[in-house]
Amino acid sequence: MLLRLPTSVSEARECVAEGIVPIGGATLLWATWQRDGFPEQAMSLRELPEANVIGRETLGAAVVLHRIDDRVPEVLRAAAATIGTGAVRRTASVGGNLVGSSLRCLLPAALVLRARATVLDADGVQETGLAEAMEAKGSVLLSLRWNAPAASAYRKLPGDAGGPPPLVVASALHTDGAGHHLLHVAVRDGYDVRDADADCGTGAATALDTLRATAAFGDLPAEAWDIVHEQTTRLLGDAGLA
């Protein structure tokens, strides 16, 4: 297998146009390739500057998980820190987790940040919604971008080896230029990820009632709802909105 390492967007675009298989850290692909055979060529973005950014409002798809630090919001940092073992986090990438993994452990955090995706396809660099980027064929995720939240929280319950994915609850409090507050919450229950938001102008109790009334959270398991309640109360209380 020939591994292509583009150092510019134009080089990466050529690889996409040629249909070369993109890989992240290959932590999940390697076993599949050993079983089914390796492609003739693959492409890694680890040398592409646009895919290696880390900042308050951006994160590159080629960034390996152990590099995610306090430059990004707490919810995203905490999510990355709970994925796999230290050895996995030194290899697995943001893009591989979101696009190449059925677990998509970073997805709840990205959803509550209201992240947008920058992707590369045969037509060039485009910005699109996160869901579209994860499902699109013939494009490669370059980075995520979001507006920094006022505060955020993350909790992942312990899981059993070989069992279903553990429960995850992520939340972020957003404030616009006019001082309007919006809480966004996401829950991963098994392989299902659901999210909803609520206006926070009249306090935590009203925000929780709003979340409970949404189609996404109306049948939320009690264990998950308890964590949603705790995070909502804490984030709004710390912000003086309780």
Side-chain angles (χ1 to χ4, degrees), residues 57-125:
E57 297 186 332
T58 186
L59 183 64
V63 173
V64 292
L65 303 180
H66 90 105
R67 290 182 56 211
I68 298 176
D69 55 23
D70 58 7
R71 285 172 286 182
V72 304
E74 166 64 23
V75 64
L76 194 53
R77 181 169 70 254
T82 65
I83 296 173
T85 63
V88 168
R89 291 192 292 274
R90 286 190 292 273
T91 305
S93 68
V94 171
N97 184 270
L98 286 172
V99 179
S101 167
S102 60
L103 296 178
R104 293 175 171 170
C105 298
L106 295 179
L107 180 56
L111 285 173
V112 301
L113 289 176
R114 312 179 87 185
R116 299 278 297 171
T118 301
V119 301
L120 176 66
D121 58 24
D123 296 323
V125 176

Side-chain angles (χ1 to χ4, degrees), residues 55-58 71-73 113 145-151 172-176:
R56 183 168 175 263
E57 297 186 332
T58 186
R71 285 172 286 182
V72 304
L113 289 176
R145 297 188 181 277
W146 59 85
N147 292 325
L173 179 63
H174 297 270
T175 306
D176 63 21

Side-chain angles (χ1 to χ4, degrees), residues 107-198:
L107 180 56
L111 285 173
V112 301
L113 289 176
R114 312 179 87 185
R116 299 278 297 171
T118 301
V119 301
L120 176 66
D121 58 24
D123 296 323
V125 176
Q126 318 283 342
E127 185 176 83
T128 186
L130 191 58
E132 291 81 359
M134 291 191 301
E135 301 300 331
K137 305 299 182 183
S139 66
V140 177
L141 179 66
L142 291 181
S143 63
L144 302 176
R145 297 188 181 277
W146 59 85
N147 292 325
S152 60
Y154 181 88
R155 186 174 175 191
K156 180 179 184 179
L157 295 187
D160 297 324
L167 178 71
V168 167
V169 179
S171 55
L173 179 63
H174 297 270
T175 306
D176 63 21
H180 178 253
H181 302 282
L182 185 75
L183 181 72
H184 204 111
V185 182
V187 174
R188 185 185 72 183
D189 180 22
Y191 289 95
D192 176 45
V193 179
R194 58 182 90 180
D195 65 302
D197 55 39

